[in-house]
Amino acid sequence: MVLLRKVAGRVGLAIALRDILRGSPLAEDAELIVSELSANAILHTASGQQSGSFHLALAVSSQVVALSVTDDGGTGTAPKAEHADQDATHGRGLGMVSAIAHRVLVHDSQAGHTVTAELFTSGQPGGHRC
C-alpha cells in the first residue's frame, strides 16, 4: 500500500505518520527518519526556499515500511552520509538514518533527489551507509 497525504508543515507530517503507522513497532524509527530527511530537504535544497516544497511517499507492506523524501534540488551533489567533526553542529543526520534503516537509497529525481529509507519488519536493526 502506498500512501500519499498532503500535510501542513513538519508537525502535520509527524501526526499523519503516527496515524498511518499506529501500532507498528517501526513507528518511532519511521518518525525519526522522516523528520531527519525532511529537515535535510528544507536545510540543504531549494525545498527550503519560500516557494519550495518536498514530497513524502510512504509504502507499507507486511515486509517493509519504505519512506521516501523527494526534494526540489538546487544542489550539485547527491545527499550522502558525512563524517562530522566532533564539534560540528550539522552533518550527522543521514548517517543516523543509515544506522536506523535497514537500507537507504539515493536516486536522482526530476528536479532534485529522492532519499528512500527502508525498515524491514523482521531482521536486525541497523542499516547500510548511504
Side-chain angles (χ1 to χ4, degrees):
M1 166 187 340
V2 176
L3 303 165
L4 299 172
R5 184 183 288 187
K6 185 174 181 171
V7 295
R10 286 173 59 190
V11 172
L13 190 61
I15 291 168
L17 189 63
R18 277 187 222 132
D19 183 46
I20 293 166
L21 293 177
R22 182 173 286 126
S24 170
L26 301 174
E28 288 181 4
D29 286 346
E31 186 177 345
L32 179 61
I33 288 169
V34 167
S35 177
E36 189 57 44
L37 295 180
S38 61
N40 284 351
I42 292 167
L43 290 171
H44 302 297
T45 74
S47 296
Q49 295 176 0
Q50 188 168 355
S51 63
S53 65
F54 65 91
H55 301 277
L56 170 68
L58 171 64
V60 180
S61 75
S62 60
Q63 293 86 28
V64 66
V65 172
L67 309 137
S68 297
V69 172
T70 301
D71 64 49
D72 278 349
T75 62
T77 59
K80 64 180 184 206
E82 300 279 333
H83 297 287
D85 195 75
Q86 181 178 340
D87 297 325
T89 58
H90 296 286
R92 294 178 184 83
L94 202 49
M96 179 177 60
V97 169
S98 294
I100 295 169
H102 292 94
R103 181 167 50 182
V104 177
L105 306 163
V106 178
H107 298 283
D108 291 337
S109 64
Q110 190 173 26
H113 296 93
T114 299
V115 180
T116 300
E118 296 177 343
L119 296 167
F120 301 143
T121 56
S122 63
Q124 295 297 318
H128 301 66
R129 301 288 286 156
C130 177

